[in-house]
């Protein structure tokens, strides 16, 4: 932890911020808890602050009823009982500060890092300093992987790729033998494979047939309301999974097939466009790193989105290009997004993210490709899950 605090001080110096004020109440600030290495589910019922000044010794500010919640951290401990005492301590801590970092996003541009409420921001700013976002440096502590986590991510990548292949074979076997193949039944078969192999998930796999492929977040809920597979139907699988072990990292892929011996010309055209857009995005990020230039999440999204828009399908691409991957499938780091948010955080080494463009025609069909990318410490990009160049034919 001492090393992390010293690193944080370096970032504060770099960004000309007087200090980092980490705050939580009832486990609402997951980013602060991660940085402070406070286990999930810790009994926190009172407000605490942990102050890391740009220069000097950290300070713990805790309620007297929960004096040990930050005891594992370095620094002087101050306790409060009354809310007036809390304010006095903060006034003393921040009296020479002009700018402090907190988990805040201006106008909530990045809700992923906007963890403090408006009242807390007003409270701190009424004391004196301006509150700025910890976002520019926060992901250095909340989504970078160590060597063991990199290995677990790659193990998950191998597993989900094989699971997709096995699932298509399972569907094909049912299709060719004349059995009813149902979205929900296939999904439950996949979950069984994940459990038996020691993997877990945030979201059950997407198994979508026919027009359901045009719903990016479709998920079968039960056998009765799910579709049965017919010949000529497209099949979309979206699988996210990780080892069922502490600090494991997700892999997340989308794969597509068709219950026919060949896709339609329209399906082939659209699939080729999203696949090219995926590679354009990967190569853009790769070139930036080779030039030792910063690349931000929104910039990568714009490259992908412009490619699809120039080919006439911009309105059919209505989600972000990709997301950070970490211990949750949608991790706390930079996303490839200029649509839903303007993610101006850089894509940094030792993190992973998806590239997953899609084109959707509601009520008809949709296509999406998705693979995972890891940025090595030396700036080299690695596609960890492999790519699917064409729609797989099941007949």
């Amino acid at each position: 932890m001492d090393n992390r605090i010293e690193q944080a001080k370096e970032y504060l110096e770099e960004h000309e911020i007087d200090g980092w004020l980490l705050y939580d109440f009832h486990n609402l600030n997951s980013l602060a808890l991660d940085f402070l290495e406070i286990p999930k589910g810790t009994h926190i019922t009172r407000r605490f602050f942990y102050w890391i000044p740009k220069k000097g010794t950290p300070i713990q500010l805790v309620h007297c009823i929960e004096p040990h919640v930050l005891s594992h951290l370095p620094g002087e401990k101050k306790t409060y009982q009354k809310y007036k005492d809390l304010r006095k301590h903060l006034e003393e801590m921040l009296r020479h500060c002009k700018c402090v970092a907190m988990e805040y996003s201006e106008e909530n541009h990045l809700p992923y890092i906007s963890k403090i409420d408006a009242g807390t921001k007003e409270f701190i700013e009424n004391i004196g300093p301006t509150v700025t976002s910890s976002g520019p440096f926060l992901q250095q502590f909340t989504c970078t992987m160590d060597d063991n986590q990199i290995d677990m991510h790659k193990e998950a990548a191998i597993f989900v790729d094989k699971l997709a292949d096995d699932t298509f074979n399972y569907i094909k076997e049912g299709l060719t033998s004349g059995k009813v193949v149902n979205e929900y039944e296939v999904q439950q078969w996949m979950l069984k494979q994940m459990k038996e192999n020691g993997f877990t998930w945030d979201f059950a796999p997407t198994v979508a047939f026919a027009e359901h492929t045009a719903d990016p977040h479709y998920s079968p809920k039960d056998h009765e309301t799910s579709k049965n597979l017919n010949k000529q139907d497209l099949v979309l699988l979206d699988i996210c999974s990780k080892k069922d072990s502490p600090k494991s990292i997700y892999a997340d892929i989308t794969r597509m097939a068709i219950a026919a011996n060949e896709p339609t010309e329209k399906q082939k055209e659209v699939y080729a466009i999203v696949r090219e857009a995926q590679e354009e995005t990967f190569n853009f990020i790769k070139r930036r790193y080779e030039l030792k230039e910063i690349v931000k999440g929104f910039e990568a999204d714009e490259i992908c989105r412009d490619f699809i828009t120039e080919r006439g399908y911009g309105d059919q691409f209505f989600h972000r290009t990709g997301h950070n991957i970490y211990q949750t499938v949608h991790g706390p780091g930079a996303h490839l997004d200029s649509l839903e948010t303007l993610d101006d955080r850089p894509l940094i080494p030792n993190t992973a993210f998806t590239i997953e463009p899609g084109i959707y025609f509601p009520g008809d069909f949709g296509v999406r490709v998705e693979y995972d990318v890891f940025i090595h410490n030396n700036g080299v990009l690695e596609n960890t899950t492999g790519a699917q160049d064409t729609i797989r034919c099941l007949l």
Side-chain angles (χ1 to χ4, degrees):
M1 177 54 75
D2 287 344
N3 287 339
R4 286 161 69 86
I5 290 172
E6 290 306 310
Q7 282 182 293
K9 289 183 176 183
E10 290 176 10
Y11 289 119
L12 293 169
E13 187 77 43
E14 177 185 344
H15 293 278
E16 299 181 341
I17 301 170
D18 293 316
W20 187 6
L21 188 62
L22 293 126
Y23 160 80
D24 186 60
F25 176 64
H26 276 273
N27 293 273
L28 293 175
N29 188 349
S30 58
L31 298 172
L33 299 182
D34 285 348
F35 174 80
L36 297 172
E37 298 180 349
I38 297 174
K40 290 182 180 178
T42 297
H43 192 63
I44 301 171
T45 64
R46 303 298 192 274
R47 289 176 287 181
F48 77 69
F49 291 87
Y50 188 70
W51 172 238
I52 303 175
K54 182 168 58 177
K55 294 180 180 178
T57 303
I59 297 175
Q60 308 170 25
L61 179 53
V62 293
H63 193 275
C64 61
I65 208 170
E66 293 173 346
H68 306 301
V69 70
L70 301 179
S71 292
H72 64 292
L73 299 170
E76 177 187 0
K77 179 184 293 185
K78 296 179 181 291
T79 61
Y80 72 95
Q81 180 181 22
K82 302 175 182 178
Y83 71 89
K84 293 180 180 178
D85 295 333
L86 174 65
R87 184 182 182 100
K88 286 180 182 178
H89 283 308
L90 286 167
E91 287 175 342
E92 176 67 20
M93 287 162 49
L94 305 176
R95 69 183 185 278
H96 298 305
C97 297
K98 294 182 179 179
C99 181
V100 300
M102 298 187 77
E103 285 61 68
Y104 153 75
S105 174
E106 185 178 359
E107 296 187 354
N108 200 26
H109 285 313
L110 287 174
Y112 315 101
I113 62 173
S114 191
K115 298 294 185 180
I116 68 165
D117 60 279
T120 298
K121 179 177 181 289
E122 291 169 356
F123 178 42
I124 298 303
E125 293 193 327
N126 285 339
I127 287 173
T130 298
V131 172
T132 191
S133 177
S134 60
F137 59 85
L138 182 63
Q139 61 175 337
Q140 298 283 352
F141 304 106
T142 58
C143 65
T144 55
M145 303 183 206
D146 60 30
D147 289 344
N148 186 48
Q149 289 177 310
I150 295 168
D151 289 342
M152 286 193 286
H153 166 65
K154 291 184 177 182
E155 186 177 355
I158 292 169
F159 174 75
V160 296
D161 187 59
K162 183 178 185 301
L163 179 58
D165 189 58
D166 290 346
T167 303
F168 283 140
N169 288 334
Y170 177 78
I171 293 171
K172 180 177 181 177
E173 180 182 339
L175 192 64
T176 54
S177 64
K179 295 179 181 177
V180 174
V181 180
N182 178 270
E183 293 170 325
Y184 182 74
E185 183 268 329
V186 173
Q187 180 197 64
Q188 296 307 299
W189 181 87
M190 295 172 74
L191 292 175
K192 183 172 181 288
Q193 310 310 307
M194 293 161 74
K195 287 180 182 177
E196 290 178 351
N197 285 277
F199 284 79
T200 187
W201 58 89
D202 279 351
F203 307 105
T206 291
V207 180
F209 299 162
E211 69 270 18
H212 286 169
T213 60
D215 180 350
H217 276 185
Y218 172 77
S219 182
K221 298 297 187 292
D222 54 54
H223 193 281
E224 290 70 27
T225 60
S226 299
K227 286 189 70 68
N228 295 331
L229 185 65
N230 296 310
K231 289 185 178 181
Q232 307 301 320
D233 283 351
L234 278 176
V235 179
L236 183 149
L237 305 177
D238 189 335
I239 311 168
C240 61
S241 191
K242 67 173 184 174
K243 289 288 292 182
D244 191 6
S245 56
K247 297 186 177 181
S248 59
I249 305 296
Y250 269 90
D252 186 12
I253 63 170
T254 299
R255 299 287 188 260
M256 295 202 69
I258 189 166
N261 58 16
E262 189 177 10
T264 67
E265 291 304 312
K266 181 73 169 181
Q267 291 165 347
K268 287 192 279 189
E269 174 208 353
V270 173
Y271 192 91
I273 290 171
V274 295
R275 180 71 183 94
E276 287 182 65
Q278 187 181 43
E279 287 308 295
E280 283 287 317
T281 308
F282 180 93
N283 289 330
F284 167 75
I285 300 168
K286 180 183 176 187
R287 286 192 299 272
R288 279 288 190 88
Y289 259 93
E290 289 172 346
L291 294 169
K292 302 189 184 304
E293 294 178 352
I294 291 172
V295 55
K296 297 182 177 182
F298 80 89
E299 295 176 303
D301 181 83
E302 288 177 341
I303 292 295
C304 190
R305 195 165 304 283
D306 288 348
F307 185 92
I308 290 174
T309 299
E310 287 166 4
R311 284 148 185 81
Y313 294 109
D315 289 342
Q316 282 73 48
F317 179 24
F318 42 75
H319 59 69
R320 64 192 176 193
T321 294
H323 59 81
N324 177 257
I325 301 170
Y326 195 55
Q327 295 179 46
T328 54
V329 66
H330 295 164
H335 304 310
L336 280 58
D337 191 3
S338 69
L339 179 72
E340 302 167 42
T341 66
L342 186 70
D343 201 324
D344 60 358
R345 293 175 292 175
L347 301 172
I348 63 173
N350 295 319
T351 64
F353 55 88
T354 66
I355 303 179
E356 49 178 304
I359 295 175
Y360 309 94
F361 305 94
D364 191 2
F365 75 93
V367 299
R368 181 167 68 253
V369 294
E370 179 182 15
Y371 59 52
D372 300 348
V373 179
F374 177 74
I375 305 177
H376 287 269
N377 195 48
N378 62 1
V380 172
L381 270 63
E382 178 183 356
N383 175 348
T384 57
T385 52
Q388 183 183 4
D389 290 326
T390 58
I391 297 172
R392 178 171 173 171
C393 298
L394 300 179
L395 294 178

